[in-house]
Amino acid sequence: MNFPEDIKYSSDHEWARVEEDLIVIGITDHAQRELGDIVFVEIDQLDEEVEQGDVFGTIEAVKTVSDLFMPIKGTIVEFNEGLEDSPEKINEDPYGEGWIVKLKPDNIKDLEELMDASVYKEEIGA
Amino acid sequence: MKRTSLYKKHTDIGAKMVDFAGFSMPVIYTSIKEEHLAVRQSAGLFDVSHMGEFRISGKDARSLVQWLSSNDADKLSPGEIQYSCLPNSKGGIVDDLLVYCIDPEHFMLVVNASNIEKDFDWIEHQRILKEFDAELVNLSDETDLLALQGPKAEKILQELCEEDLSVVENYHFINASIKGFGELMISRTGYTGAGGFEIYLKPAQTVELWNVLLEKGKSDGLIPAGLAARDTLRLEMGYCLYGNDIDETTNPLEAGLGWITKLDSEFVGKDVLLAQKESGLKSRLVGFELKDKGIPRKDYPVFDADENEIGRVTSGTQSPSLSKPIGLAYVDRKFRKKGTEIFIGVRKKKLKAVVCGLPFV
């Protein structure tokens, strides 16, 4: 499994990457592997402010369904529309084309509370 | 947790393992879709060694099987197999199973892994209660099972086998000589609807046969397939899964298993089923396709257009062959007809669905 060093990780298995003044959010390689074949993603709170730890959507896989938890407080400004037709991108490229939302963070410093790759790897026993 | 003979093989090739019925089993090797489509289009190999096998032998073997099972075991000739249920005495189902007739005094029952102990105790209980002169032996620990499924299964297996497999009909078995493995019981059965064979063998032989089959079948697209693909494949066919679609509380007639419930033969609980049939069955297991975006899951509620609850989902998935969400649900019989609009409660929403015929594919 792959855990890039340049992004942050949450204990709910989301990742966050700074992209100019926005934060890109997706699920980790570990999470996509646990879910198996992903069939679609639904985002409930586009253009709304979401608290850290709140559910902002659901991810449906063939075998199971899982909530998506917001790793840091902010407003969701964009959903990855490429996932509408190709949700399997999350399985194939979880940190790239499989990104899920872009967020305008309330306070970008909140990112520091998230885990580095090495800590996350330890947490999941990878 | 128990492991099959192939445990190390599965983990070595990177399978995701899950706890299933007390066994650590491979659920996905690469992707459900890839494994599923391989079985539909070419071939897939499943380790289903967790399944239970019992032998019933003796003078009253056939009468015991007849008494235990809902299908008509008197009709079975040597070499034939029946899909059947073990009904309980209250009109529910102890398990669903395959009954192999070896000869009139020897039968093999293949039962669900999750029910091995329960079934064994139930059969022993009935055997003693009704004083059948027969012996029940649990062969599960000394019997492995590989399922080679898909349109290329016969071609792949034939290369290893001296007997002509094309003459083995559906739901029949032979003892075939497999090069390097001696005589193995091979049946034209499976849980995928894709055709193919199930091969019973000794645990010491399993890793080797697994390797040989995968090697032989490589050029025909054979790959290992896990429990997740097994589930999507069976659901596309509308086959019941014990613990989801049928259990101790579900009536086989309501489950659409009337075709294996022969009410003119004598078996456990038959009188209850007859009485229920005469007083009118209430619900029916139907297939449905979700029209709105979502995936139906076990225990989601089913509603009519006026938001009255009319049933519950027992199985659901995204069909890899159709790329559509499908499911099975018990609904009030009024809603059982093909084309009827129903609604599935998915979290806070009620999503539109339509009752459809089975199989889905």
Side-chain angles (χ1 to χ4, degrees), chain B residues 111-144:
Chain B
V111 304
N112 284 296
S114 52
N115 291 334
I116 293 173
E117 275 178 43
K118 181 182 82 166
D119 291 354
F120 189 88
D121 292 347
W122 170 254
I123 296 169
E124 269 300 85
H125 171 71
Q126 292 296 329
R127 186 184 69 80
I128 293 162
L129 189 74
K130 305 282 287 184
E131 298 179 344
F132 287 105
D133 181 4
E135 186 195 22
L136 172 68
V137 182
N138 182 358
L139 304 173
S140 305
D141 288 344
E142 59 202 77
T143 310
D144 277 1

PDB file of all heavy atoms in Angstrom, chain B residues 111-144:
ATOM      1  N   VAL B 111     -23.446 -28.853   3.012  1.00  0.00           N
ATOM      2  CA  VAL B 111     -24.187 -27.834   3.774  1.00  0.00           C
ATOM      3  C   VAL B 111     -23.348 -26.575   3.943  1.00  0.00           C
ATOM      4  O   VAL B 111     -22.133 -26.575   3.710  1.00  0.00           O
ATOM      5  CB  VAL B 111     -24.600 -28.388   5.168  1.00  0.00           C
ATOM      6  CG1 VAL B 111     -25.417 -29.662   5.023  1.00  0.00           C
ATOM      7  CG2 VAL B 111     -23.373 -28.638   6.059  1.00  0.00           C
ATOM      8  N   ASN B 112     -24.008 -25.516   4.355  1.00  0.00           N
ATOM      9  CA  ASN B 112     -23.313 -24.247   4.578  1.00  0.00           C
ATOM     10  C   ASN B 112     -22.368 -24.333   5.772  1.00  0.00           C
ATOM     11  O   ASN B 112     -22.712 -24.893   6.822  1.00  0.00           O
ATOM     12  CB  ASN B 112     -24.330 -23.135   4.823  1.00  0.00           C
ATOM     13  CG  ASN B 112     -24.984 -22.701   3.535  1.00  0.00           C
ATOM     14  OD1 ASN B 112     -24.322 -22.184   2.635  1.00  0.00           O
ATOM     15  ND2 ASN B 112     -26.286 -22.930   3.424  1.00  0.00           N
ATOM     16  N   ALA B 113     -21.194 -23.704   5.605  1.00  0.00           N
ATOM     17  CA  ALA B 113     -20.164 -23.735   6.648  1.00  0.00           C
ATOM     18  C   ALA B 113     -20.695 -23.211   7.980  1.00  0.00           C
ATOM     19  O   ALA B 113     -20.389 -23.753   9.044  1.00  0.00           O
ATOM     20  CB  ALA B 113     -18.964 -22.901   6.202  1.00  0.00           C
ATOM     21  N   SER B 114     -21.526 -22.172   7.901  1.00  0.00           N
ATOM     22  CA  SER B 114     -22.021 -21.554   9.132  1.00  0.00           C
ATOM     23  C   SER B 114     -22.972 -22.476   9.897  1.00  0.00           C
ATOM     24  O   SER B 114     -23.274 -22.222  11.059  1.00  0.00           O
ATOM     25  CB  SER B 114     -22.740 -20.250   8.785  1.00  0.00           C
ATOM     26  OG  SER B 114     -23.699 -20.492   7.775  1.00  0.00           O
ATOM     27  N   ASN B 115     -23.453 -23.520   9.229  1.00  0.00           N
ATOM     28  CA  ASN B 115     -24.472 -24.376   9.846  1.00  0.00           C
ATOM     29  C   ASN B 115     -24.001 -25.797  10.136  1.00  0.00           C
ATOM     30  O   ASN B 115     -24.825 -26.653  10.476  1.00  0.00           O
ATOM     31  CB  ASN B 115     -25.696 -24.464   8.928  1.00  0.00           C
ATOM     32  CG  ASN B 115     -26.434 -23.141   8.848  1.00  0.00           C
ATOM     33  OD1 ASN B 115     -26.369 -22.329   9.767  1.00  0.00           O
ATOM     34  ND2 ASN B 115     -27.131 -22.915   7.755  1.00  0.00           N
ATOM     35  N   ILE B 116     -22.706 -26.060   9.980  1.00  0.00           N
ATOM     36  CA  ILE B 116     -22.229 -27.451  10.073  1.00  0.00           C
ATOM     37  C   ILE B 116     -22.661 -28.118  11.387  1.00  0.00           C
ATOM     38  O   ILE B 116     -23.291 -29.180  11.384  1.00  0.00           O
ATOM     39  CB  ILE B 116     -20.695 -27.538   9.889  1.00  0.00           C
ATOM     40  CG1 ILE B 116     -20.319 -27.154   8.447  1.00  0.00           C
ATOM     41  CG2 ILE B 116     -20.182 -28.942  10.213  1.00  0.00           C
ATOM     42  CD1 ILE B 116     -18.819 -27.042   8.175  1.00  0.00           C
ATOM     43  N   GLU B 117     -22.371 -27.451  12.494  1.00  0.00           N
ATOM     44  CA  GLU B 117     -22.696 -28.070  13.794  1.00  0.00           C
ATOM     45  C   GLU B 117     -24.196 -28.186  14.005  1.00  0.00           C
ATOM     46  O   GLU B 117     -24.702 -29.205  14.468  1.00  0.00           O
ATOM     47  CB  GLU B 117     -22.100 -27.244  14.932  1.00  0.00           C
ATOM     48  CG  GLU B 117     -20.666 -27.617  15.215  1.00  0.00           C
ATOM     49  CD  GLU B 117     -20.090 -26.757  16.321  1.00  0.00           C
ATOM     50  OE1 GLU B 117     -20.793 -26.531  17.337  1.00  0.00           O
ATOM     51  OE2 GLU B 117     -18.943 -26.301  16.150  1.00  0.00           O
ATOM     52  N   LYS B 118     -24.887 -27.084  13.665  1.00  0.00           N
ATOM     53  CA  LYS B 118     -26.344 -27.058  13.847  1.00  0.00           C
ATOM     54  C   LYS B 118     -27.008 -28.171  13.016  1.00  0.00           C
ATOM     55  O   LYS B 118     -27.865 -28.898  13.517  1.00  0.00           O
ATOM     56  CB  LYS B 118     -26.883 -25.694  13.413  1.00  0.00           C
ATOM     57  CG  LYS B 118     -28.377 -25.544  13.585  1.00  0.00           C
ATOM     58  CD  LYS B 118     -28.882 -24.196  13.093  1.00  0.00           C
ATOM     59  CE  LYS B 118     -29.086 -24.181  11.597  1.00  0.00           C
ATOM     60  NZ  LYS B 118     -29.871 -23.025  11.127  1.00  0.00           N
ATOM     61  N   ASP B 119     -26.584 -28.304  11.755  1.00  0.00           N
ATOM     62  CA  ASP B 119     -27.175 -29.313  10.874  1.00  0.00           C
ATOM     63  C   ASP B 119     -26.890 -30.718  11.399  1.00  0.00           C
ATOM     64  O   ASP B 119     -27.771 -31.585  11.393  1.00  0.00           O
ATOM     65  CB  ASP B 119     -26.600 -29.206   9.455  1.00  0.00           C
ATOM     66  CG  ASP B 119     -27.054 -27.945   8.740  1.00  0.00           C
ATOM     67  OD1 ASP B 119     -27.895 -27.213   9.294  1.00  0.00           O
ATOM     68  OD2 ASP B 119     -26.555 -27.683   7.626  1.00  0.00           O
ATOM     69  N   PHE B 120     -25.632 -30.921  11.819  1.00  0.00           N
ATOM     70  CA  PHE B 120     -25.248 -32.254  12.295  1.00  0.00           C
ATOM     71  C   PHE B 120     -26.143 -32.647  13.476  1.00  0.00           C
ATOM     72  O   PHE B 120     -26.701 -33.752  13.516  1.00  0.00           O
ATOM     73  CB  PHE B 120     -23.762 -32.266  12.703  1.00  0.00           C
ATOM     74  CG  PHE B 120     -23.254 -33.645  13.004  1.00  0.00           C
ATOM     75  CD1 PHE B 120     -22.736 -34.443  11.992  1.00  0.00           C
ATOM     76  CD2 PHE B 120     -23.312 -34.152  14.297  1.00  0.00           C
ATOM     77  CE1 PHE B 120     -22.273 -35.724  12.258  1.00  0.00           C
ATOM     78  CE2 PHE B 120     -22.859 -35.444  14.574  1.00  0.00           C
ATOM     79  CZ  PHE B 120     -22.337 -36.231  13.553  1.00  0.00           C
ATOM     80  N   ASP B 121     -26.304 -31.718  14.431  1.00  0.00           N
ATOM     81  CA  ASP B 121     -27.123 -32.005  15.611  1.00  0.00           C
ATOM     82  C   ASP B 121     -28.580 -32.235  15.228  1.00  0.00           C
ATOM     83  O   ASP B 121     -29.243 -33.110  15.772  1.00  0.00           O
ATOM     84  CB  ASP B 121     -27.033 -30.838  16.610  1.00  0.00           C
ATOM     85  CG  ASP B 121     -25.632 -30.740  17.218  1.00  0.00           C
ATOM     86  OD1 ASP B 121     -24.841 -31.698  17.047  1.00  0.00           O
ATOM     87  OD2 ASP B 121     -25.331 -29.701  17.843  1.00  0.00           O
ATOM     88  N   TRP B 122     -29.053 -31.449  14.290  1.00  0.00           N
ATOM     89  CA  TRP B 122     -30.451 -31.569  13.844  1.00  0.00           C
ATOM     90  C   TRP B 122     -30.703 -32.933  13.180  1.00  0.00           C
ATOM     91  O   TRP B 122     -31.687 -33.609  13.468  1.00  0.00           O
ATOM     92  CB  TRP B 122     -30.763 -30.415  12.873  1.00  0.00           C
ATOM     93  CG  TRP B 122     -32.071 -30.538  12.168  1.00  0.00           C
ATOM     94  CD1 TRP B 122     -32.276 -30.880  10.860  1.00  0.00           C
ATOM     95  CD2 TRP B 122     -33.388 -30.318  12.720  1.00  0.00           C
ATOM     96  NE1 TRP B 122     -33.612 -30.877  10.554  1.00  0.00           N
ATOM     97  CE2 TRP B 122     -34.311 -30.539  11.678  1.00  0.00           C
ATOM     98  CE3 TRP B 122     -33.857 -29.962  13.982  1.00  0.00           C
ATOM     99  CZ2 TRP B 122     -35.692 -30.413  11.871  1.00  0.00           C
ATOM    100  CZ3 TRP B 122     -35.232 -29.839  14.161  1.00  0.00           C
ATOM    101  CH2 TRP B 122     -36.124 -30.060  13.120  1.00  0.00           C
ATOM    102  N   ILE B 123     -29.766 -33.319  12.308  1.00  0.00           N
ATOM    103  CA  ILE B 123     -29.935 -34.590  11.597  1.00  0.00           C
ATOM    104  C   ILE B 123     -29.852 -35.761  12.591  1.00  0.00           C
ATOM    105  O   ILE B 123     -30.673 -36.691  12.550  1.00  0.00           O
ATOM    106  CB  ILE B 123     -28.883 -34.740  10.472  1.00  0.00           C
ATOM    107  CG1 ILE B 123     -29.106 -33.640   9.412  1.00  0.00           C
ATOM    108  CG2 ILE B 123     -28.961 -36.120   9.824  1.00  0.00           C
ATOM    109  CD1 ILE B 123     -27.978 -33.511   8.398  1.00  0.00           C
ATOM    110  N   GLU B 124     -28.885 -35.688  13.510  1.00  0.00           N
ATOM    111  CA  GLU B 124     -28.763 -36.731  14.536  1.00  0.00           C
ATOM    112  C   GLU B 124     -30.044 -36.824  15.370  1.00  0.00           C
ATOM    113  O   GLU B 124     -30.532 -37.916  15.662  1.00  0.00           O
ATOM    114  CB  GLU B 124     -27.579 -36.430  15.468  1.00  0.00           C
ATOM    115  CG  GLU B 124     -26.257 -37.035  15.038  1.00  0.00           C
ATOM    116  CD  GLU B 124     -26.273 -38.552  14.934  1.00  0.00           C
ATOM    117  OE1 GLU B 124     -26.673 -39.057  13.867  1.00  0.00           O
ATOM    118  OE2 GLU B 124     -25.895 -39.239  15.900  1.00  0.00           O
ATOM    119  N   HIS B 125     -30.571 -35.669  15.737  1.00  0.00           N
ATOM    120  CA  HIS B 125     -31.798 -35.603  16.527  1.00  0.00           C
ATOM    121  C   HIS B 125     -32.947 -36.307  15.787  1.00  0.00           C
ATOM    122  O   HIS B 125     -33.656 -37.145  16.365  1.00  0.00           O
ATOM    123  CB  HIS B 125     -32.142 -34.134  16.811  1.00  0.00           C
ATOM    124  CG  HIS B 125     -33.472 -33.922  17.429  1.00  0.00           C
ATOM    125  ND1 HIS B 125     -33.765 -34.272  18.735  1.00  0.00           N
ATOM    126  CD2 HIS B 125     -34.614 -33.397  16.924  1.00  0.00           C
ATOM    127  CE1 HIS B 125     -35.020 -33.982  18.991  1.00  0.00           C
ATOM    128  NE2 HIS B 125     -35.568 -33.448  17.918  1.00  0.00           N
ATOM    129  N   GLN B 126     -33.118 -35.991  14.520  1.00  0.00           N
ATOM    130  CA  GLN B 126     -34.198 -36.597  13.733  1.00  0.00           C
ATOM    131  C   GLN B 126     -33.956 -38.101  13.530  1.00  0.00           C
ATOM    132  O   GLN B 126     -34.887 -38.902  13.556  1.00  0.00           O
ATOM    133  CB  GLN B 126     -34.331 -35.900  12.367  1.00  0.00           C
ATOM    134  CG  GLN B 126     -34.825 -34.468  12.454  1.00  0.00           C
ATOM    135  CD  GLN B 126     -36.234 -34.356  13.008  1.00  0.00           C
ATOM    136  OE1 GLN B 126     -37.072 -35.248  12.814  1.00  0.00           O
ATOM    137  NE2 GLN B 126     -36.512 -33.273  13.718  1.00  0.00           N
ATOM    138  N   ARG B 127     -32.698 -38.458  13.313  1.00  0.00           N
ATOM    139  CA  ARG B 127     -32.345 -39.860  13.082  1.00  0.00           C
ATOM    140  C   ARG B 127     -32.719 -40.712  14.304  1.00  0.00           C
ATOM    141  O   ARG B 127     -33.327 -41.775  14.161  1.00  0.00           O
ATOM    142  CB  ARG B 127     -30.838 -39.979  12.810  1.00  0.00           C
ATOM    143  CG  ARG B 127     -30.368 -41.372  12.423  1.00  0.00           C
ATOM    144  CD  ARG B 127     -28.851 -41.429  12.273  1.00  0.00           C
ATOM    145  NE  ARG B 127     -28.152 -41.276  13.558  1.00  0.00           N
ATOM    146  CZ  ARG B 127     -27.976 -42.255  14.454  1.00  0.00           C
ATOM    147  NH1 ARG B 127     -28.429 -43.469  14.196  1.00  0.00           N
ATOM    148  NH2 ARG B 127     -27.339 -42.026  15.591  1.00  0.00           N
ATOM    149  N   ILE B 128     -32.385 -40.187  15.478  1.00  0.00           N
ATOM    150  CA  ILE B 128     -32.655 -40.949  16.704  1.00  0.00           C
ATOM    151  C   ILE B 128     -34.150 -40.951  17.011  1.00  0.00           C
ATOM    152  O   ILE B 128     -34.746 -41.981  17.318  1.00  0.00           O
ATOM    153  CB  ILE B 128     -31.830 -40.366  17.874  1.00  0.00           C
ATOM    154  CG1 ILE B 128     -30.329 -40.603  17.613  1.00  0.00           C
ATOM    155  CG2 ILE B 128     -32.244 -40.974  19.217  1.00  0.00           C
ATOM    156  CD1 ILE B 128     -29.406 -39.737  18.434  1.00  0.00           C
ATOM    157  N   LEU B 129     -34.763 -39.760  16.876  1.00  0.00           N
ATOM    158  CA  LEU B 129     -36.195 -39.599  17.159  1.00  0.00           C
ATOM    159  C   LEU B 129     -37.052 -40.569  16.342  1.00  0.00           C
ATOM    160  O   LEU B 129     -37.976 -41.194  16.848  1.00  0.00           O
ATOM    161  CB  LEU B 129     -36.588 -38.148  16.831  1.00  0.00           C
ATOM    162  CG  LEU B 129     -37.965 -37.667  17.218  1.00  0.00           C
ATOM    163  CD1 LEU B 129     -38.029 -37.451  18.726  1.00  0.00           C
ATOM    164  CD2 LEU B 129     -38.286 -36.354  16.498  1.00  0.00           C
ATOM    165  N   LYS B 130     -36.717 -40.688  15.057  1.00  0.00           N
ATOM    166  CA  LYS B 130     -37.543 -41.516  14.166  1.00  0.00           C
ATOM    167  C   LYS B 130     -36.949 -42.910  13.972  1.00  0.00           C
ATOM    168  O   LYS B 130     -37.427 -43.673  13.119  1.00  0.00           O
ATOM    169  CB  LYS B 130     -37.714 -40.825  12.809  1.00  0.00           C
ATOM    170  CG  LYS B 130     -38.285 -39.415  12.862  1.00  0.00           C
ATOM    171  CD  LYS B 130     -39.788 -39.381  13.073  1.00  0.00           C
ATOM    172  CE  LYS B 130     -40.500 -39.802  11.804  1.00  0.00           C
ATOM    173  NZ  LYS B 130     -41.968 -39.682  11.971  1.00  0.00           N
ATOM    174  N   GLU B 131     -35.896 -43.226  14.724  1.00  0.00           N
ATOM    175  CA  GLU B 131     -35.279 -44.558  14.710  1.00  0.00           C
ATOM    176  C   GLU B 131     -34.885 -45.054  13.325  1.00  0.00           C
ATOM    177  O   GLU B 131     -35.204 -46.179  12.930  1.00  0.00           O
ATOM    178  CB  GLU B 131     -36.203 -45.570  15.402  1.00  0.00           C
ATOM    179  CG  GLU B 131     -36.420 -45.219  16.862  1.00  0.00           C
ATOM    180  CD  GLU B 131     -37.348 -46.199  17.584  1.00  0.00           C
ATOM    181  OE1 GLU B 131     -38.059 -46.961  16.913  1.00  0.00           O
ATOM    182  OE2 GLU B 131     -37.317 -46.186  18.825  1.00  0.00           O
ATOM    183  N   PHE B 132     -34.208 -44.195  12.571  1.00  0.00           N
ATOM    184  CA  PHE B 132     -33.712 -44.623  11.264  1.00  0.00           C
ATOM    185  C   PHE B 132     -32.459 -45.464  11.456  1.00  0.00           C
ATOM    186  O   PHE B 132     -31.589 -45.132  12.263  1.00  0.00           O
ATOM    187  CB  PHE B 132     -33.353 -43.413  10.394  1.00  0.00           C
ATOM    188  CG  PHE B 132     -34.547 -42.665   9.877  1.00  0.00           C
ATOM    189  CD1 PHE B 132     -34.917 -41.440  10.431  1.00  0.00           C
ATOM    190  CD2 PHE B 132     -35.300 -43.186   8.827  1.00  0.00           C
ATOM    191  CE1 PHE B 132     -36.008 -40.748   9.950  1.00  0.00           C
ATOM    192  CE2 PHE B 132     -36.400 -42.487   8.340  1.00  0.00           C
ATOM    193  CZ  PHE B 132     -36.758 -41.265   8.905  1.00  0.00           C
ATOM    194  N   ASP B 133     -32.346 -46.525  10.672  1.00  0.00           N
ATOM    195  CA  ASP B 133     -31.166 -47.367  10.701  1.00  0.00           C
ATOM    196  C   ASP B 133     -30.152 -46.798   9.694  1.00  0.00           C
ATOM    197  O   ASP B 133     -30.080 -47.228   8.546  1.00  0.00           O
ATOM    198  CB  ASP B 133     -31.559 -48.813  10.337  1.00  0.00           C
ATOM    199  CG  ASP B 133     -30.368 -49.750  10.381  1.00  0.00           C
ATOM    200  OD1 ASP B 133     -29.258 -49.306  10.771  1.00  0.00           O
ATOM    201  OD2 ASP B 133     -30.541 -50.929  10.006  1.00  0.00           O
ATOM    202  N   ALA B 134     -29.446 -45.774  10.154  1.00  0.00           N
ATOM    203  CA  ALA B 134     -28.483 -45.098   9.271  1.00  0.00           C
ATOM    204  C   ALA B 134     -27.422 -44.448  10.139  1.00  0.00           C
ATOM    205  O   ALA B 134     -27.647 -44.197  11.321  1.00  0.00           O
ATOM    206  CB  ALA B 134     -29.183 -44.054   8.415  1.00  0.00           C
ATOM    207  N   GLU B 135     -26.277 -44.181   9.513  1.00  0.00           N
ATOM    208  CA  GLU B 135     -25.185 -43.562  10.253  1.00  0.00           C
ATOM    209  C   GLU B 135     -24.852 -42.211   9.617  1.00  0.00           C
ATOM    210  O   GLU B 135     -24.804 -42.083   8.391  1.00  0.00           O
ATOM    211  CB  GLU B 135     -23.954 -44.482  10.194  1.00  0.00           C
ATOM    212  CG  GLU B 135     -22.813 -43.991  11.045  1.00  0.00           C
ATOM    213  CD  GLU B 135     -21.483 -44.689  10.724  1.00  0.00           C
ATOM    214  OE1 GLU B 135     -21.334 -45.236   9.612  1.00  0.00           O
ATOM    215  OE2 GLU B 135     -20.609 -44.671  11.599  1.00  0.00           O
ATOM    216  N   LEU B 136     -24.656 -41.215  10.467  1.00  0.00           N
ATOM    217  CA  LEU B 136     -24.289 -39.875   9.994  1.00  0.00           C
ATOM    218  C   LEU B 136     -22.837 -39.603  10.364  1.00  0.00           C
ATOM    219  O   LEU B 136     -22.458 -39.749  11.526  1.00  0.00           O
ATOM    220  CB  LEU B 136     -25.196 -38.835  10.659  1.00  0.00           C
ATOM    221  CG  LEU B 136     -24.829 -37.365  10.433  1.00  0.00           C
ATOM    222  CD1 LEU B 136     -25.037 -36.958   8.978  1.00  0.00           C
ATOM    223  CD2 LEU B 136     -25.659 -36.465  11.349  1.00  0.00           C
ATOM    224  N   VAL B 137     -22.030 -39.232   9.376  1.00  0.00           N
ATOM    225  CA  VAL B 137     -20.615 -38.921   9.642  1.00  0.00           C
ATOM    226  C   VAL B 137     -20.298 -37.539   9.082  1.00  0.00           C
ATOM    227  O   VAL B 137     -20.686 -37.213   7.954  1.00  0.00           O
ATOM    228  CB  VAL B 137     -19.676 -39.976   8.994  1.00  0.00           C
ATOM    229  CG1 VAL B 137     -18.224 -39.664   9.326  1.00  0.00           C
ATOM    230  CG2 VAL B 137     -20.034 -41.372   9.465  1.00  0.00           C
ATOM    231  N   ASN B 138     -19.614 -36.739   9.871  1.00  0.00           N
ATOM    232  CA  ASN B 138     -19.201 -35.410   9.421  1.00  0.00           C
ATOM    233  C   ASN B 138     -17.825 -35.503   8.758  1.00  0.00           C
ATOM    234  O   ASN B 138     -16.836 -35.775   9.421  1.00  0.00           O
ATOM    235  CB  ASN B 138     -19.146 -34.457  10.622  1.00  0.00           C
ATOM    236  CG  ASN B 138     -18.780 -33.044  10.211  1.00  0.00           C
ATOM    237  OD1 ASN B 138     -18.523 -32.771   9.045  1.00  0.00           O
ATOM    238  ND2 ASN B 138     -18.778 -32.142  11.176  1.00  0.00           N
ATOM    239  N   LEU B 139     -17.783 -35.287   7.442  1.00  0.00           N
ATOM    240  CA  LEU B 139     -16.530 -35.404   6.690  1.00  0.00           C
ATOM    241  C   LEU B 139     -15.884 -34.047   6.419  1.00  0.00           C
ATOM    242  O   LEU B 139     -14.903 -33.954   5.676  1.00  0.00           O
ATOM    243  CB  LEU B 139     -16.805 -36.082   5.328  1.00  0.00           C
ATOM    244  CG  LEU B 139     -17.486 -37.443   5.342  1.00  0.00           C
ATOM    245  CD1 LEU B 139     -17.829 -37.872   3.921  1.00  0.00           C
ATOM    246  CD2 LEU B 139     -16.588 -38.486   5.998  1.00  0.00           C
ATOM    247  N   SER B 140     -16.445 -33.004   7.016  1.00  0.00           N
ATOM    248  CA  SER B 140     -16.046 -31.641   6.637  1.00  0.00           C
ATOM    249  C   SER B 140     -14.553 -31.376   6.786  1.00  0.00           C
ATOM    250  O   SER B 140     -13.945 -30.734   5.931  1.00  0.00           O
ATOM    251  CB  SER B 140     -16.822 -30.619   7.462  1.00  0.00           C
ATOM    252  OG  SER B 140     -18.200 -30.852   7.330  1.00  0.00           O
ATOM    253  N   ASP B 141     -13.953 -31.858   7.881  1.00  0.00           N
ATOM    254  CA  ASP B 141     -12.542 -31.554   8.119  1.00  0.00           C
ATOM    255  C   ASP B 141     -11.613 -32.316   7.189  1.00  0.00           C
ATOM    256  O   ASP B 141     -10.469 -31.930   6.995  1.00  0.00           O
ATOM    257  CB  ASP B 141     -12.166 -31.867   9.578  1.00  0.00           C
ATOM    258  CG  ASP B 141     -12.770 -30.845  10.530  1.00  0.00           C
ATOM    259  OD1 ASP B 141     -13.193 -29.762  10.052  1.00  0.00           O
ATOM    260  OD2 ASP B 141     -12.831 -31.126  11.747  1.00  0.00           O
ATOM    261  N   GLU B 142     -12.092 -33.405   6.631  1.00  0.00           N
ATOM    262  CA  GLU B 142     -11.225 -34.189   5.746  1.00  0.00           C
ATOM    263  C   GLU B 142     -11.605 -34.021   4.273  1.00  0.00           C
ATOM    264  O   GLU B 142     -11.158 -34.789   3.414  1.00  0.00           O
ATOM    265  CB  GLU B 142     -11.277 -35.675   6.144  1.00  0.00           C
ATOM    266  CG  GLU B 142     -12.668 -36.255   6.074  1.00  0.00           C
ATOM    267  CD  GLU B 142     -12.828 -37.504   6.945  1.00  0.00           C
ATOM    268  OE1 GLU B 142     -12.958 -37.359   8.184  1.00  0.00           O
ATOM    269  OE2 GLU B 142     -12.822 -38.591   6.372  1.00  0.00           O
ATOM    270  N   THR B 143     -12.463 -33.025   3.994  1.00  0.00           N
ATOM    271  CA  THR B 143     -12.906 -32.812   2.617  1.00  0.00           C
ATOM    272  C   THR B 143     -12.726 -31.350   2.225  1.00  0.00           C
ATOM    273  O   THR B 143     -13.280 -30.456   2.868  1.00  0.00           O
ATOM    274  CB  THR B 143     -14.399 -33.181   2.459  1.00  0.00           C
ATOM    275  OG1 THR B 143     -14.612 -34.474   3.028  1.00  0.00           O
ATOM    276  CG2 THR B 143     -14.819 -33.181   1.002  1.00  0.00           C
ATOM    277  N   ASP B 144     -11.961 -31.117   1.184  1.00  0.00           N
ATOM    278  CA  ASP B 144     -11.836 -29.778   0.617  1.00  0.00           C
ATOM    279  C   ASP B 144     -12.712 -29.692  -0.626  1.00  0.00           C
ATOM    280  O   ASP B 144     -13.111 -30.727  -1.188  1.00  0.00           O
ATOM    281  CB  ASP B 144     -10.379 -29.472   0.271  1.00  0.00           C
ATOM    282  CG  ASP B 144      -9.603 -28.976   1.492  1.00  0.00           C
ATOM    283  OD1 ASP B 144     -10.209 -28.894   2.577  1.00  0.00           O
ATOM    284  OD2 ASP B 144      -8.403 -28.690   1.355  1.00  0.00           O
TER     285      ASP B 144
END
